[in-house]
Amino acid sequence: MTAPSFPSDRPKLRMRPKMDPRRIRHGFPWVYANELVLDRRTKALAPGTLAVLEDDNRAPLGLVAVNTASKIAGRMVDRDPAANIDQAWFEARIARALALRETLFNAPFYRLIHAEADGFPGVIIDRFGDTAVIQPNAAWADARLGDLTAALQNVVGIKTLIKNASGRTRALEGLDDQGAVFVGEMPQDPIPVPMNGAIYMADVAGGQKTGLFFDQRPNHVFAQSVATGARVLDVFSHVGGFGLAALAGGAASTLCVDGSATALGLAQDGADAMGASDRFATRQGDAFDVLAELQAEGAQFDMVICDPPAFAPAKPALDAGLRAYERIARLAAPLVVDGGILGLCSCSHAADLAKFRAASVRGMGRAGRSPVLLHTGFAGPDHPQLPQLAESGYLKALFFRV
């Protein structure tokens, strides 16, 4: 058998003796710093450098993007160590990702590229028609944005491409935090996004992340399915995610709560576009405070849904994050009528499903409510999970009858 050939000038990254490479061979996409021989030469490699990953016998395992300053020192870019990461390479992977989305959805509004699961470590691209927002949170991709941009134009027909540099991992990769417009012009107005019968307003210029969260789409569908005639409270609503979906499902009323007046304004614009403004209201404020205020006011709802930001974005924050999820459940549960529905969500990958569910049940119990779990939801299929990478399954949504 002929050994694979690859450019001889590519640096090598070698695993330490006694480090089992089978995880990598079986599809795990990361190699940690403590698994590698990190000498002066490898430590001097600039973040994003492509190197051939080898086992301790110098057998190649693939092509990785290097960042020796990170705990994750190598991210698999291609299983072929000889791969040429050029425009054609980007086009082939984008075409594969696009084919999946076009099978799943009948309108061009979705996550087009979901990092490792689509073969683009650290890269997120959300599509809003002929506009796309990219978060290149890895140095290897940031250095190749020319090829990536050209590939997106050729394969997808993107006319506007916006860089969002707010990802917290960019600093770890030694990257800037400056947004930019690579192709076209920045949209002056929010982009209307039809989804599940609702209309959302995506602020791709100044909104959170890429402007809209597509990941909750299937969980919106479940909430919508039980929303007919319901009084709905949507807490941490952003631009109206669950609230507008409930209105599209025939909810009698929706109250959206968020700390951002801008986000609530976009939610109101969505309700207006749907012709549902007479059933829609907003309340700005800290979610914990508003939940306590609503309880003091004696407010009651048929369905309450809380979709907070990541309280436990990493393991060091896990304990505090779980306490926050418990507190949310404790404050929200009294607002649900007897026999009503409480939806609780977490986008913290550090808090796995079992821990999040336990914290939620504990909070409802402390509020004196007895829950029955009706539905467990995850991110939609445009956010595919890499089975070997538990971190890619970050979103959990639990719906209880209380």
Side-chain angles (χ1 to χ4, degrees):
M1 182 176 173
T2 304
S5 62
F6 42 85
S8 59
D9 59 344
R10 273 186 174 158
K12 310 297 188 297
L13 203 62
R14 193 168 76 254
M15 297 188 74
R16 296 168 59 187
K18 298 184 180 179
M19 289 292 150
D20 190 347
R22 285 180 295 181
R23 268 186 333 129
I24 305 298
R25 288 200 173 98
H26 295 165
F28 190 73
W30 297 344
V31 56
Y32 297 104
N34 62 6
E35 298 177 304
L36 296 168
V37 176
L38 295 180
D39 54 22
R40 184 179 301 175
R41 176 185 58 82
T42 53
K43 287 182 179 179
L45 294 174
T49 298
L50 296 180
V52 176
L53 177 65
E54 299 177 334
D55 64 18
D56 63 329
N57 293 318
R58 300 187 182 274
L61 298 169
L63 190 64
V64 295
V66 180
N67 182 1
T68 58
S70 171
K71 179 182 176 182
I72 304 169
R75 297 174 187 264
M76 188 65 67
V77 174
D78 200 299
R79 295 285 162 180
D80 178 5
N84 185 17
I85 312 302
D86 57 7
Q87 183 178 325
W89 183 92
F90 281 104
E91 288 184 0
R93 295 211 168 182
I94 291 170
R96 182 180 177 89
L98 177 63
L100 172 63
R101 275 65 181 184
E102 290 182 337
T103 299
L104 296 168
F105 305 110
N106 59 9
F109 301 96
Y110 41 68
R111 174 149 294 180
L112 175 62
I113 298 295
H114 190 55
E116 276 82 354
D118 282 305
F120 288 85
V123 180
I124 296 298
I125 303 177
D126 282 349
R127 183 182 183 187
F128 304 90
D130 59 8
T131 296
V133 180
I134 180 171
Q135 288 186 291
N137 297 329
W140 76 272
D142 205 71
R144 294 164 177 83
L145 283 171
D147 284 340
L148 177 51
T149 297
L152 277 169
Q153 290 177 283
N154 287 348
V155 175
V156 188
I158 292 300
K159 295 180 180 178
T160 303
L161 180 62
I162 300 161
K163 170 191 170 188
N164 182 299
S166 63
R168 63 188 182 90
T169 58
R170 284 182 63 83
L172 295 175
E173 293 276 309
L175 303 173
D176 64 65
D177 60 356
Q178 301 300 308
V181 180
F182 293 137
V183 178
E185 297 181 358
M186 182 71 77
Q188 296 303 303
D189 300 309
I191 298 173
V193 176
M195 192 161 57
N196 297 329
I199 298 175
Y200 299 93
M201 297 296 176
D203 181 8
V204 297
Q208 294 182 39
K209 302 293 184 179
T210 63
L212 190 68
F213 298 110
F214 286 121
D215 53 0
Q216 288 280 21
R217 188 185 328 230
N219 302 315
H220 290 166
V221 170
F222 178 80
Q224 191 175 70
S225 73
V226 292
T228 303
R231 297 162 296 168
V232 177
L233 174 65
D234 180 7
V235 186
F236 303 99
S237 67
H238 190 226
V239 299
F242 281 98
L244 296 183
L247 289 179
S253 65
T254 285
L255 174 62
C256 280
V257 174
D258 201 90
S260 167
T262 300
L264 290 176
L266 292 168
Q268 182 68 63
D269 291 343
D272 294 345
M274 294 167 59
S277 55
D278 59 325
R279 295 182 286 141
F280 183 78
T282 64
R283 185 157 172 170
Q284 184 188 358
D286 175 82
F288 292 96
D289 293 341
V290 173
L291 286 171
E293 291 164 6
L294 287 170
Q295 185 176 352
E297 294 164 13
Q300 290 277 276
F301 301 88
D302 302 296
M303 181 159 58
V304 176
I305 302 167
C306 301
D307 184 17
F311 287 147
K315 286 184 179 179
L318 178 58
D319 289 344
L322 291 174
R323 288 194 296 271
Y325 288 123
E326 178 182 333
R327 185 182 175 206
I328 284 287
R330 177 173 58 81
L331 291 171
L335 300 175
V336 184
V337 299
D338 185 33
I341 291 174
L342 176 58
L344 300 169
C345 306
S346 167
C347 58
S348 300
H349 73 76
D352 65 22
L353 177 60
K355 290 184 175 67
F356 171 59
R357 186 173 54 219
S360 298
V361 171
R362 194 162 52 244
M364 286 182 281
R366 290 183 63 194
R369 304 305 297 269
S370 300
V372 174
L373 182 61
L374 298 180
H375 176 78
T376 301
F378 304 96
D382 54 341
H383 293 62
Q385 295 184 34
L386 198 64
Q388 303 90 339
L389 187 64
E391 287 82 354
S392 63
Y394 65 97
L395 183 66
K396 287 81 61 177
L398 304 174
F399 287 83
F400 300 89
R401 184 176 185 270
V402 294

